[in-house]
């Protein structure tokens, strides 16, 4: 704008008009009139002059945009949009910006719900819903996604193998040894996810948080983390091979420490394609040893939730080509343990289908309630069937069928 005519629009008294118009036009919505206020007498007079009014407007007047367009065009020859962009600054489109932000938020939560770690452990669906309910970190989709990506990376790497928390964090999170320190957003988020996986309340004290980290293999003592195994006869003359071989030959279970497993990295051979069956409960392993003695086929027991020693042994066996097959309790926690093991190792389900549940239920119809149920990723029909009957079937109740499966290889020998 230039000259005396454009100077009319630059009058300081008209500044409230242009600010109000700029704000309304930046909304991205249709605008027919604009509310202005509170105007003093000088500002009211300037507005009356611009619009050609025969009297002063109200102190908080509405201005019809069509009337303003006519006045601006007569004075300057441009549109109102062009004038306010020149006098105040570029116009925004807040509606489009809100729509874009809503799309980004929706894409973020869709990404989280569909993430491989969440899908493979359906117990994390509640955690994903919690993350969505809490909302964005500092209002930022990018920061929230970065935080969630770090949390998912941590969850995928657990259980750890006895590392201190700072060492685990530095190895996994770009050298930041303090990333999982108590009280950080990331630490709180991961611990809440672990609580969802294990089906327990989120920890509310430093002691409970340490206990939960230890359960996930953080600072897990290499001697106190153990796993039961029977019938393992790995090749080699290292300590692990000798311990498992002697126990297998004598018909006993070996209680293997994480330290023993880690020390056998280069001295452990196992025949490829040999099935290794995995049970959740030690009582099933005890029944197998009672029945088969020194002829017990390869069997590993997680004793409930697998610790770092159990996961380490199963991965070692899988690396040698062993075919891992897992069975556990038909209840809510049993399904979550199974999902966890199938996610953390290459194991496949063993007698864990919907039909297996129904057959077991026909033989043991009076079990306890199954507790909190989550999806079984390997069989979408299993959890609905358990919910329908409201009855769990513990592993001991189907031990005879499991032992029959174990006896098949022996009959061919």
């Amino acid at each position: 704008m230039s000259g005396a005519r454009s100077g009319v629009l630059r009058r300081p008294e008209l500044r409230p008009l242009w600010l109000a118009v700029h704000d309304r036009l930046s909304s991205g919505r249709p605008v027919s009139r604009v509310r202005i206020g509170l105007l003093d007498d000088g500002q009211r007079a300037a507005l009356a002059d611009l619009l050609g009014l025969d009297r002063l407007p109200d102190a908080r007047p509405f201005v019809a945009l069509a009337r303003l367009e006519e006045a601006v065009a007569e004075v300057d020859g441009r549109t109102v949009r062009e004038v306010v962009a020149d006098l105040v600054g570029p116009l925004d489109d807040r509606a489009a910006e809100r729509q874009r932000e809503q799309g980004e938020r929706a894409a973020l939560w869709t990404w989280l719900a569909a993430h491989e770690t969440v899908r493979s452990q359906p117990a994390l669906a509640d955690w994903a819903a919690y993350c969505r309910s809490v909302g964005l970190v500092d209002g930022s989709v990018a920061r929230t996604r970065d935080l969630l990506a770090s949390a998912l990376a941590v969850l995928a790497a657990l259980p750890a193998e006895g590392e201190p928390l700072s060492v685990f964090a530095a190895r996994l999170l770009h050298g930041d040894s303090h990333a999982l320190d108590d009280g950080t957003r990331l630490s709180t988020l991961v611990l809440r996810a672990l609580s969802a996986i294990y089906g327990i309340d989120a920890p509310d004290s430093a002691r409970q948080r340490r206990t939960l980290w230890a359960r996930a293999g953080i600072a897990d003592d290499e001697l106190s983390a153990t796993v039961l195994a029977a019938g393992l006869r790995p090749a080699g003359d290292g300590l692990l091979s000798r311990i498992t071989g002697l126990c297998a030959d004598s018909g006993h279970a070996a209680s293997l420490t994480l330290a023993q497993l880690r020390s056998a990295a280069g001295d452990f051979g196992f025949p490829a394609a040999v099935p290794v069956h995995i049970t959740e409960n030690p009582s099933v392993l005890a029944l197998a040893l009672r029945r088969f003695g020194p002829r017990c086929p390869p069997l590993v027991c997680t004793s409930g939730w697998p610790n770092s020693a159990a996961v380490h042994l199963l991965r070692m066996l899988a690396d040698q080509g062993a075919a891992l097959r897992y069975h556990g309790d038909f209840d809510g926690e049993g399904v979550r343990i199974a999902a966890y093991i199938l996610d953390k190792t290459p194991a496949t389900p063993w007698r864990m289908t919907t039909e297996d549940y129904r057959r077991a239920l026909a033989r043991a119809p009076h079990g306890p309630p199954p507790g909190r149920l989550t999806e079984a990723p390997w069989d979408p029909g299993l959890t609905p069937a358990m919910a329908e009957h409201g009855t769990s079937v513990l592993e001991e109740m189907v031990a005879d069928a499991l032992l029959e499966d174990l006896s098949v290889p022996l009959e061919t020998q």
Side-chain angles (χ1 to χ4, degrees):
M1 269 182 271
S2 61
R5 287 166 59 82
S6 62
V8 171
L9 303 182
R10 290 183 178 276
R11 293 177 60 183
E13 293 85 354
L14 292 176
R15 184 70 176 174
L17 168 67
W18 305 131
L19 290 174
V21 173
H22 185 280
D23 181 68
R24 289 289 287 114
L25 293 179
S26 292
S27 70
R29 298 192 176 103
V31 178
S32 61
R33 61 178 187 165
V34 179
R35 180 74 178 267
I36 311 167
L38 175 70
L39 302 181
D40 60 27
D41 289 346
Q43 293 165 339
R44 294 165 65 199
L47 181 59
D49 289 344
L50 175 63
L51 299 178
L53 304 178
D54 55 7
R55 60 187 177 85
L56 293 180
D58 294 338
R60 296 181 181 274
F62 282 104
V63 175
L65 190 61
R67 180 75 176 271
L68 186 60
E69 288 282 9
E70 293 174 0
V72 168
E74 182 179 346
V75 171
D76 186 73
R78 293 189 293 174
T79 66
V80 169
R81 284 182 171 273
E82 292 170 334
V83 168
V84 296
D86 182 39
L87 292 175
V88 180
L91 289 166
D92 299 321
D93 188 341
R94 290 196 296 274
E97 180 66 16
R98 283 193 297 272
Q99 187 174 11
R100 183 188 64 78
E101 291 175 352
Q102 289 171 358
E104 289 181 348
R105 288 195 296 271
L108 171 68
W109 305 126
T110 298
W111 164 80
L112 177 60
H115 194 279
E116 180 181 359
T117 297
V118 176
R119 287 190 297 104
S120 61
Q121 297 186 58
L124 288 175
D126 290 343
W127 173 75
Y130 162 79
C131 293
R132 182 168 187 166
S133 70
V134 170
L136 302 179
V137 175
D138 301 328
S140 169
V141 170
R143 291 182 183 180
T144 306
R145 185 168 181 133
D146 287 345
L147 177 66
L148 291 171
S150 295
L152 291 165
V154 171
L155 293 170
L158 293 174
E161 295 195 355
E163 292 175 290
L165 188 60
S166 59
V167 176
F168 175 80
R171 177 174 62 82
L172 198 67
L173 300 168
H174 312 293
D176 186 354
S177 60
H178 297 290
L180 292 170
D181 283 359
D182 204 21
T184 63
R185 277 176 171 161
L186 181 57
S187 175
T188 301
L189 201 59
V190 171
L191 288 171
R192 192 173 190 98
L194 290 175
S195 299
I197 291 172
Y198 296 133
I200 60 176
D201 292 335
D204 58 8
S205 69
R207 181 185 61 81
Q208 289 178 348
R209 290 189 287 273
R210 287 194 299 271
T211 299
L212 190 51
W213 278 123
R215 187 171 184 178
I218 294 293
D220 215 359
D221 190 301
E222 284 191 327
L223 298 181
S224 61
T226 63
V227 58
L228 291 173
L232 295 185
R233 293 179 173 84
D237 58 1
L239 177 63
L240 181 63
S241 297
R242 283 183 281 147
I243 290 175
T244 54
L246 285 172
C247 288
D249 290 342
S250 60
H252 289 285
S255 180
L256 306 173
T257 68
L258 179 60
Q260 292 167 344
L261 294 168
R262 295 178 72 175
S263 69
D267 186 26
F268 183 85
F270 197 81
V274 169
V276 175
H277 291 81
I278 311 159
T279 69
E280 178 186 338
N281 298 283
S283 57
V284 177
L285 184 143
L287 290 171
L289 286 171
R290 183 182 303 171
R291 175 166 175 174
F292 302 116
R295 299 176 67 233
C296 185
L299 195 60
V300 174
C301 178
T302 66
S303 301
W305 281 95
N307 59 21
S308 52
V311 173
H312 190 99
L313 174 59
L314 295 176
R315 288 174 175 171
M316 287 177 63
L317 292 167
D319 288 343
Q320 295 292 320
L324 306 181
R325 304 182 66 200
Y326 177 79
H327 186 277
D329 292 333
F330 281 116
D331 62 5
E333 187 169 36
V335 168
R336 287 188 289 278
I337 292 174
Y340 187 82
I341 290 174
L342 301 187
D343 178 50
K344 299 299 181 181
T345 74
T348 58
W350 170 31
R351 288 189 178 268
M352 289 290 287
T353 66
T354 304
E355 289 307 310
D356 291 322
Y357 168 71
R358 293 188 187 279
R359 283 194 293 268
L361 187 63
R363 299 171 58 190
H366 304 299
R372 182 172 70 96
L373 293 173
T374 49
E375 180 187 352
W378 64 93
D379 186 345
L382 177 56
T383 296
M386 294 169 65
E388 173 190 351
H389 293 283
T391 304
S392 62
V393 178
L394 302 184
E395 193 173 34
E396 292 85 348
M397 302 304 297
V398 296
D400 55 347
L402 302 179
L403 296 182
E404 285 303 312
D405 286 352
L406 296 177
S407 68
V408 172
L410 300 178
E411 294 169 357
T412 64
Q413 294 179 7

